Amino acid sequence: MWQGGHMNISTKAIVSNSEMMKNYKACREKARYLGKLFVLKNNQPDAVLFSISEYERLSPFIEYLESLEEGDLAKVFESLPTI
């Protein structure tokens, strides 16, 4: 597992930025299969490619978080379990 900050990311779901650029179609298929794919640039998280089904699953929660004021958003994050 790659660990950076609070993220635990399976190595199966990681690709380099150059791999993404060279083999986008294969990376897109991998994201579809795994739900999401983390893209690293200089060995640091740079982007996440979500499958459309994973995005649709998370979209209501993302929209809810975007609607919150800063103080309320902090309360939501404080209430989340630590991994």
Side-chain angles (χ1 to χ4, degrees), residues 14-52:
I14 296 175
V15 295
S16 68
N17 190 44
S18 59
E19 178 72 14
M20 175 69 99
M21 293 174 71
K22 290 180 201 171
N23 299 306
Y24 175 72
K25 185 177 179 181
C27 291
R28 194 181 72 225
E29 286 298 314
K30 194 172 186 180
R32 187 179 63 77
Y33 173 74
L34 296 172
K36 58 189 163 291
L37 196 60
F38 297 89
V39 183
L40 301 184
K41 184 175 182 181
N42 299 322
N43 292 320
Q44 296 297 315
D46 184 56
V48 180
L49 177 64
F50 284 101
S51 66
I52 192 65

Side-chain angles (χ1 to χ4, degrees), residues 48-67:
V48 180
L49 177 64
F50 284 101
S51 66
I52 192 65
S53 61
E54 183 71 0
Y55 175 78
E56 288 171 343
R57 187 178 77 81
L58 296 173
S59 185
F61 183 65
I62 292 168
E63 289 175 13
Y64 168 72
L65 291 176
E66 289 175 341
S67 74

